[in-house]
Amino acid sequence: MNTKALHQISYGLYIITSRIGERYNGQVANTVFQISSEPMTIAISINKNNLTNQFINESKLFTVSVLAQDAPLSLIGQFGFKSGKDIDKFAGINYQIGKNGVPYLVDDTIAYLEAEVMQDVDAGTHQIFIGKISDADILKEGVPMTYAHYHQVKRGETPKTAPNYVEKSKGEHEKMDNYVCSVCGYVYDPEAGDESQGVSPGTSFEDLPDDWVCPVCGVGKDQFEKN
């Protein structure tokens, strides 16, 4: 069986948030889709080991923030490669509280949808939550980020807890001169550089400034390994 066929399925990129009392948490997800129009429902898929899963199970509430195509990798890193068990993911983030008491992101998102869980389905490593939309709005005009854009243009990687994560063999990365972040899997490609930190294309890993950090998860150069 060729599992790469699954890579041909189209995805978006979203931040799913929830709450327990006055505590908030959220994560990056690529599985969000509308189920029905009457009632208006959407479904999300969340890894059972993620803290956000616990929050949704207890509160029966979640909100989807639709990421803009120009959202920075650092935002995806904060919500996708760090745990709410260790940090406050909303520190330094511009957000507002929706009608259901769950936060949605204001910057770098183009829309949000609030939902109340109607049903959940056990899907092995993940749990599917089907929610009835209780509120929604457009925050700004723009192009939503697709998973393809995140990978091909921004060169982002897939968290191991994502439903479509596939472990790569060493030979799958493009060049031996590339360096891979041991924390989040981001690949630094010298030919591409790092526009987000002003690193020009053609800059070798050795020539990166000492204060350069992974644009996804924020760790230093010492956490990178030659591929």
Side-chain angles (χ1 to χ4, degrees):
M1 179 172 64
N2 187 354
T3 58
K4 290 185 178 180
L6 294 168
H7 296 174
Q8 305 307 310
I9 299 174
S10 298
Y11 298 93
L13 209 60
Y14 315 91
I15 290 181
I16 311 296
T17 51
S18 188
R19 67 175 172 88
I20 296 178
E22 298 302 316
R23 293 178 60 204
Y24 306 132
N25 196 60
Q27 67 164 78
V28 172
N30 64 353
T31 309
V32 176
F33 53 97
Q34 185 173 351
I35 297 293
S36 63
S37 57
E38 186 57 46
M40 193 171 295
T41 59
I42 55 175
I44 61 174
S45 179
I46 304 294
N47 191 289
K48 293 176 182 177
N49 292 325
N50 289 1
L51 186 61
T52 304
N53 182 283
Q54 175 187 336
F55 274 50
I56 297 173
N57 269 306
E58 291 197 26
S59 68
K60 305 300 180 186
L61 299 169
F62 65 86
T63 293
V64 177
S65 294
V66 181
L67 287 174
Q69 183 171 276
D70 57 0
L73 279 174
S74 58
L75 176 65
I76 299 170
Q78 180 149 335
F79 281 89
F81 291 93
K82 298 179 181 180
S83 173
K85 300 173 184 176
D86 304 322
I87 66 165
D88 175 9
K89 292 190 178 184
F90 290 89
I93 299 296
N94 185 16
Y95 68 90
Q96 293 187 10
I97 304 301
K99 292 182 179 179
N100 64 1
V102 174
Y104 61 88
L105 276 63
V106 175
D107 298 333
D108 304 308
T109 59
I110 61 176
Y112 71 90
L113 305 97
E114 300 183 55
E116 301 173 2
V117 175
M118 300 171 57
Q119 182 181 352
D120 65 273
V121 179
D122 189 322
T125 57
H126 287 64
Q127 190 171 4
I128 299 171
F129 296 99
I130 300 174
K132 181 179 180 181
I133 295 179
S134 56
D135 195 28
D137 202 1
I138 300 291
L139 296 177
K140 65 179 181 180
E141 295 299 324
V143 179
M145 186 184 298
T146 64
Y147 215 51
H149 182 87
Y150 169 65
H151 280 289
Q152 297 168 11
V153 179
K154 289 182 173 290
R155 304 187 62 80
E157 289 297 321
T158 304
K160 291 185 177 180
T161 55
N164 63 333
Y165 173 78
V166 177
E167 187 172 0
K168 293 182 178 180
S169 63
K170 194 170 184 178
E172 282 190 79
H173 294 300
E174 293 177 2
K175 291 186 177 181
M176 292 301 291
D177 290 337
N178 291 349
Y179 279 73
V180 183
C181 177
S182 62
V183 176
C184 72
Y186 170 81
V187 179
Y188 175 75
D189 179 3
E191 291 188 5
D194 177 16
E195 182 181 353
S196 68
Q197 297 181 73
V199 176
S200 302
T203 303
S204 69
F205 185 81
E206 292 79 8
D207 290 336
L208 289 172
D210 291 338
D211 60 354
W212 181 86
V213 296
C214 175
V216 176
C217 68
V219 299
K221 292 173 61 178
D222 60 332
Q223 297 297 313
F224 278 72
E225 301 173 352
K226 190 174 182 179
N227 183 38

